[in-house]
Each structure stands twice: as C-alpha cells, then as structure tokens.
C-alpha cells in the first residue's frame, strides 16, 4: 500500500514536471517561500531493504537543491528571519528555510560542509533524550531487527502473529505492518514496551543505536556555535504529543527546551512537533506551543508558506526533501508549490 502511494506521488510529481503544469500553477500556489524538511544527510547505501530511506538524502542531492535555490535568487534564511518577515509582512523576496530533525551526527558531517559552501543557515531540531544518549529511535531499531531476522513474532491486536522476514519484499511488508501497529498503540510506553521486547529478542541495543546516530551534548555545543546553525526543540522523548495528556505535552515542549538551553547556553525559540502530521500535532498542540512562547513551530504537513501563515506561526507546513524522490527534475515542481497544493486539495492553509 505504501509502495503504491509512493508510486502515485512519484507519478504525480513526474506528471507535473513533464506537462509543465507547475509553471501554470506557480502564480497561484508558489506562496512567498518554503521551509524544507530533512532528516539524515549521508551517502546512500546499497541494501535492498531500506524502509526508512524516505528520511535520508544524499549530499549531492542537497548540493543540487542549494544550487537550484541560489540560481533562482531565492533567499536562504533562518527561522528567526522567517518569523520577522512574516510578522512584518515583508514578502519582497522569495525565501527558503532549511530544517533538519532529530539531531543526527551525519548532519554535522555531511550537511554542514555544504551549507557552509552555500552560506546557507539552517535549524536543527533536537529531541533532548536523543542528545542524552537514552532516546529510542524505534523506527530505526525496528528496521535493524527486521534486517537481521528471518521471521518475527509479535502480538498484534492481542493475536500472536508470526511474520516472514526472509526476503527483502517480506521484510518491507513486515516493516509496514509493524510500523503501522506501533504508531497506532495507545501510549508511548506501549510502543517502548513492544519495541523493547523485539530489540531484546533480536539483539538490538536501543541506546547504542541512539548514541551511534545522534550527536551528544558535548558534540552539539561546538556545533551550535556555528553562526549558520540554530538549535530548536523537538520534545524530550520524541513522542506523539497529541496522544499525551495536556500536562505531559506541555512538559515535553518546555522541559526539552530548558534542557537544550541549559546544555548549549543559548535561547531556544523554535519547535518541531515529533512526527508532525495531523495525528501528532493539532490545534491543542499549536496553542500549547504558542503559550509556551515559541516564535515558530513546524509540522510535517506539506505546504508552502503564504502571507496568511503569519496567523499560524505554530502550525507551519514544510516541504519534505524525501529520499524516495532524489531526482533534481522535481526541484521546480517543489518550489512551484504545485505538488503540495495537489496534496492539500488546493487549499493554501491547513492549520486546523
Ligand atoms: Zn523527529
């Protein structure tokens, strides 16, 4: 199903490109700018089973994107500057922001040199438990469990289920099933219990995975001193905030921010909601982020920035630089807004 959806999206992007429809849609849907969303930036791997591949782009793809924006004379600005331009209604030049979620070390090793080359600022959103080395990147540990197992047993919906994971196709199907099951569990502790049990059974060390992929506070401190870099908050545990009580959701925002400020000795005024889709961040979370004093908060809802976005500064959409579509021909489609407009049924703002 996921593969089917990916193919439809890819065909849609291709159709927009080859028909030139994005040029026609441009005046209506290009908005005033875009916030690009990335996760990992690192050289690609050959493995056939890469269920999280949409969360990583190759350095060459990022470089091509930066060159594209520079050639179109689109300003690459900080989230502070975006906040200022939106509140002052300064739309004389089109802009782009770069945001990288979770706090991966590959961002320092592969993205930062490119961002320096193009003098492009960016914001990294850090989940404080990830920097602490105690975070649970369950979507990655799930991939590792399935990669090494030839079959997996889990109690899905109260029924003991055995999933074949002996071929790449079977692994992908098992990943989709387990991923959907884990994301639908009622509480964060349920996810941790189930993924913890799978990891224990298949010899995957969750804390070691976190430390291998995420920058520690000691690494983040010099990183954050780079004038191109802003650090934002991304909750403590990387939980689905919409599923938490109001008190816990508030704490996830405020405490993660306080921990980052304490560790890095600099103010944190921007937030990214973990997962960030409409099931993980809605009107309550948008209000909580505003009440907590964040200047901006970003979702993973797809969309361009419009003048009206100034009224929804804690519900900002982003444009994903998705590892499944690393084809430079889609750049004009992405910056035209036609792709996200198509996704949103041609609404400009989606903040409810
Ligand atoms: Zn995240």
């Amino acid at each position: 199903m996921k593969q089917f959806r990916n193919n439809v999206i890819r065909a849609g992007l291709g159709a927009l490109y080859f028909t030139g429809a994005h040029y026609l849609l441009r005046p209506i849907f290009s908005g005033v700018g875009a916030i690009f969303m990335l996760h990992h930036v690192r050289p690609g791997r050959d493995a056939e089973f890469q269920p999280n591949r949409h969360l990583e782009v190759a350095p060459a793809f990022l470089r091509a994107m930066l060159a594209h924006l520079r050639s179109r004379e689109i300003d690459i600005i900080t989230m502070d500057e975006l906040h200022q331009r939106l509140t002052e209604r300064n739309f004389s030049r089109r802009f782009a922001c770069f945001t990288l979620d979770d706090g991966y070390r590959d961002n320092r090793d592969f993205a930062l040199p490119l961002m320096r080359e193009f003098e492009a600022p960016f914001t990294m959103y850090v989940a404080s438990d990830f920097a602490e080395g105690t975070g649970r990147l369950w979507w990655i540990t799930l991939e590792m469990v399935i990669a090494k197992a030839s079959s997996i047993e889990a109690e899905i919906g109260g029924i003991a289920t055995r999933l074949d994971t002996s071929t790449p196709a079977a692994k992908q199907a098992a990943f989709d099933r387990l991923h959907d099951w884990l994301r639908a569990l009622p509480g964060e502790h349920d996810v941790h219990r189930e993924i913890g049990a799978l990891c224990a059974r298949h010899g995957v060390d969750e804390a070691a995975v976190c430390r291998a992929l995420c920058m520690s506070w000691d690494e983040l401190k010099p990183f954050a001193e780079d004038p191109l870099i802003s650090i934002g908050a991304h909750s403590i545990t990387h939980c689905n905030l919409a599923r938490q009580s109001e008190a816990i959701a508030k704490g996830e925002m405020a405490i993660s921010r306080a921990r980052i400020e304490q560790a890095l000795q600099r103010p944190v005024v921007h937030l990214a909601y973990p997962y960030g889709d409409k099931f993980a961040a809605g009107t309550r979370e948008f209000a909580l982020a505003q009440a907590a004093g964040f200047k901006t908060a970003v979702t993973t809802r797809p969309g361009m920035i419009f003048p009206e976005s100034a009224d929804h500064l804690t519900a900002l959409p982003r444009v994903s630089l998705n590892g499944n579509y690393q084809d430079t021909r889609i750049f004009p489609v992405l910056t035209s807004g036609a792709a996200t407009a198509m996704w949103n049924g041609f609404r400009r703002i989606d903040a409810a």
Side-chain angles (χ1 to χ4, degrees), residues 126-199:
V126 170
S128 57
D129 275 0
F130 290 7
E132 210 78 55
T134 57
R136 296 177 127 134
L137 294 91
W138 65 266
W139 57 96
I140 295 170
T141 50
L142 179 64
E143 172 181 344
M144 295 171 88
V145 163
I146 295 174
K148 64 196 284 194
S150 57
S151 79
I152 287 193
E153 280 165 40
E155 201 163 304
I156 301 177
I159 300 161
T161 310
R162 188 188 184 89
L163 299 170
D164 172 35
T165 54
S166 59
T167 65
K171 286 181 194 295
Q172 182 64 53
F175 182 90
D176 290 345
R177 177 127 188 243
L178 293 168
H179 186 276
D180 291 352
W181 165 61
L182 287 166
R183 269 215 67 182
L185 288 175
E188 219 52 32
H189 53 278
D190 299 304
V191 179
H192 291 158
R193 185 191 60 239
E194 298 297 342
I195 194 74
L198 280 174
C199 285

Side-chain angles (χ1 to χ4, degrees), residues 39 101-102 104 125 127 130 139 234 238 273-275:
H39 291 81
D101 290 12
D102 299 339
Y104 297 117
Y125 297 106
F130 290 7
W139 57 96
H234 195 40
H238 204 282
Y273 306 101
Y275 311 110

